[in-house]
């Protein structure tokens, strides 16, 4: 991954390739596990945000240092449903804040205006309404509870994506606290560079935004993705027929903005999407460039 002088260093990950991850207010490095699981989902007006169910993420998190050290072999996450329109932006801001300010401490203090900038919001949006939105989003993110257990033993630990979040609109201050025992969450598997430009091209299209995050996290040359898997990832509460329609519309939106090219197939009554190419930079879908391929 090439180093851009306009990008801020996230953290150095010691691997055989000596990779250095980078992030900025226009891109965000995210742990692959959070993109392929249903942590961030479409949340329409009719969806009960408090209907979040427990998700088993053992397969994705069992290699955490905490699991290896304490012998935990079961990991679940539970909390209020997180949307991709606001909550994902705020989460990207949290990642960026700790990458720049949290390397020596698990607690950071900064001005609200600075934090809002890290979340990708332009200065013209820095008002009372945005403070309220970000404050509510921090509450939802802080509600994400991670539970680590050892099967067959009376042993468990409860923590979260964010241990503490507080803000003071009058004093223009934000305080964030993370669990230091989970720092290596961001070194698992491989990390994905999420483009805020792509998300901005999909306003009020949360299904398409979530599909972007999921498809971005897939490995190169992925097998056809079933609509059943996509329904599970999006956690859509509508009937199967309506959910499939929303998924198909979302995939077509991704094609229309130049991120994706592929085809729809049906096999044994199940619909699949076959990914041909994904473009790391948006381009005219009719002008595919090999420089942008996976």
């Amino acid at each position: 991954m090439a180093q851009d002088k306009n990008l801020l260093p996230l953290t150095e990950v010691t691997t055989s390739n000596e990779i250095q991850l980078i992030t900025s207010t226009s891109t965000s490095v995210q742990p692959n596990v959070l993109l392929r699981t249903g942590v961030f989902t479409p949340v329409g007006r009719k969806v009960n945000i408090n209907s979040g169910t427990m998700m088993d993420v053992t397969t994705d998190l069992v290699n955490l240092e905490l699991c290896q050290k304490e012998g935990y072999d079961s990991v679940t996450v539970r909390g209020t449903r997180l949307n991709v329109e606001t909550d994902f932006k705020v989460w990207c801001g949290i990642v960026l804040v700790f990458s720049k300010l949290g390397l020596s401490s698990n607690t950071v203090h900064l001005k609200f205006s600075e934090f809002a900038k890290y979340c990708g919001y332009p200065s013209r949006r820095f008002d009372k309404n945005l403070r309220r939105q970000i404050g509510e989003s921090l509450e939802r993110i802080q509600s994400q509870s991670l539970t680590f257990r050892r099967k067959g033993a009376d042993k468990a630990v409860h923590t979260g994506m964010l241990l503490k979040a507080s803000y003071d609109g009058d004093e223009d201050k934000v305080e964030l606290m993370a669990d230091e025992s989970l720092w290596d969450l961001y070194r698992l598997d491989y990390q994905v560079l999420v483009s805020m430009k792509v998300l901005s091209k999909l306003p009020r299209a949360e299904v398409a935004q979530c599909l972007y995050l999921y498809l971005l996290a897939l490995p190169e040359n992925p097998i056809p993705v079933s609509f059943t898997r996509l329904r599970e990832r999006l956690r859509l509460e509508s009937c199967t027929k309506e959910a499939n329609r929303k998924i198909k519309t979302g995939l077509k939106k991704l094609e229309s903005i130049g991120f994706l090219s592929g085809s729809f197939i049906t096999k044994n009554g199940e619909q699949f999407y076959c990914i041909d190419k994904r473009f790391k930079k948006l381009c005219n879908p009719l002008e595919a460039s090999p420089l942008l391929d996976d």
Side-chain angles (χ1 to χ4, degrees):
M1 185 181 295
Q3 178 74 44
D4 188 314
K5 65 181 180 180
N6 295 317
L7 299 181
L8 300 172
L10 176 70
T11 183
E12 291 188 1
V13 182
T14 303
T15 67
S16 58
N17 296 323
E18 294 296 324
I19 299 173
Q20 182 175 16
L21 303 177
I22 52 177
T23 190
S24 72
T25 54
S26 61
T27 59
S28 176
V29 175
Q30 291 293 318
N32 192 33
V33 59
L34 294 183
L35 303 187
R36 64 174 175 246
T37 61
V39 175
F40 297 97
T41 63
V43 181
R45 294 181 179 180
K46 297 182 180 180
V47 173
N48 180 7
I49 64 171
N50 295 314
S51 64
T53 58
M54 182 176 67
M55 292 183 292
D56 189 333
V57 291
T58 302
T59 302
D60 301 301
L61 297 186
V62 73
N63 290 320
L64 278 172
E65 182 180 351
L66 178 62
C67 292
Q68 298 298 309
K69 182 178 179 180
E70 301 295 336
Y72 296 123
D73 52 9
S74 174
V75 189
T76 57
V77 60
R78 183 199 302 268
T80 301
R81 291 188 66 145
L82 300 181
N83 66 66
V84 71
E85 191 73 37
T86 302
D87 296 337
F88 185 71
K89 287 183 179 179
V90 173
W91 175 249
C92 288
I94 292 171
V95 171
L96 183 53
V97 165
F98 280 111
S99 75
K100 185 177 182 181
L101 306 176
L103 297 180
S104 59
S105 172
N106 70 329
T107 303
V108 295
H109 301 83
L110 68 164
K111 292 183 177 180
F112 169 84
S113 55
E114 187 178 7
F115 180 61
K117 182 179 179 181
Y118 286 154
C119 295
Y121 290 103
S123 57
R124 65 177 182 275
R125 290 284 311 278
F126 295 176
D127 56 17
K128 185 176 181 179
N129 184 51
L130 183 62
R131 282 185 170 84
R132 177 186 59 79
Q133 291 180 13
I134 289 180
E136 293 173 350
S137 180
L138 286 172
E139 180 182 3
R140 290 190 293 269
I141 292 172
Q142 197 277 327
S143 80
Q144 302 305 300
S145 170
L146 287 168
T147 297
F148 299 83
R149 298 182 186 277
R150 182 189 296 176
K151 296 177 182 178
D154 189 17
K155 183 182 178 80
V157 63
H158 305 282
T159 184
M161 289 171 56
L162 189 64
L163 285 187
K164 179 181 177 181
S166 63
Y167 74 100
D168 187 327
D170 294 331
E171 296 294 329
D172 191 34
K173 295 180 180 179
V174 173
E175 178 184 347
L176 304 172
M177 179 185 295
D179 186 343
E180 291 177 295
S181 69
L182 297 181
W183 281 138
D184 60 332
L185 169 65
Y186 304 98
R187 299 186 178 92
L188 277 184
D189 199 3
Y190 61 90
Q191 284 75 23
V192 177
L193 195 63
V194 175
S195 171
M196 296 304 170
K197 180 180 178 182
V198 174
L199 294 177
S200 69
K201 292 288 185 179
L202 302 165
R204 297 178 297 281
E206 285 198 299
V207 170
Q209 290 178 339
C210 286
L211 287 171
Y212 162 68
L213 296 180
Y214 175 74
L215 297 177
L216 191 68
L218 295 179
E220 293 186 15
N221 303 315
I223 62 175
V225 183
S226 72
F227 275 40
T228 296
R229 177 66 187 101
L230 294 178
R231 290 195 303 271
E232 292 173 351
R233 165 60 181 85
L234 298 176
R235 296 164 64 192
L236 297 174
E237 297 184 347
S238 51
C239 66
T240 299
K241 183 177 180 180
E242 177 63 14
N244 286 350
R245 184 193 67 78
K246 291 179 179 179
I247 289 171
K248 195 166 188 178
T249 298
L251 290 169
K252 288 182 176 180
K253 282 183 179 292
L254 292 177
E255 292 178 343
S256 70
I257 65 172
F259 167 71
L260 189 68
S261 69
S263 59
F264 297 91
I265 63 171
T266 301
K267 183 177 181 181
N268 298 327
E270 171 70 281
Q271 295 187 66
F272 293 81
Y273 185 76
C274 301
I275 298 175
D276 181 22
K277 297 180 186 297
R278 286 165 293 177
F279 303 100
K280 297 174 183 178
K281 296 180 181 178
L282 295 185
C283 68
N284 186 327
L286 299 180
E287 300 176 353
S289 167
L291 296 178
L292 304 176
D293 295 351
D294 281 336

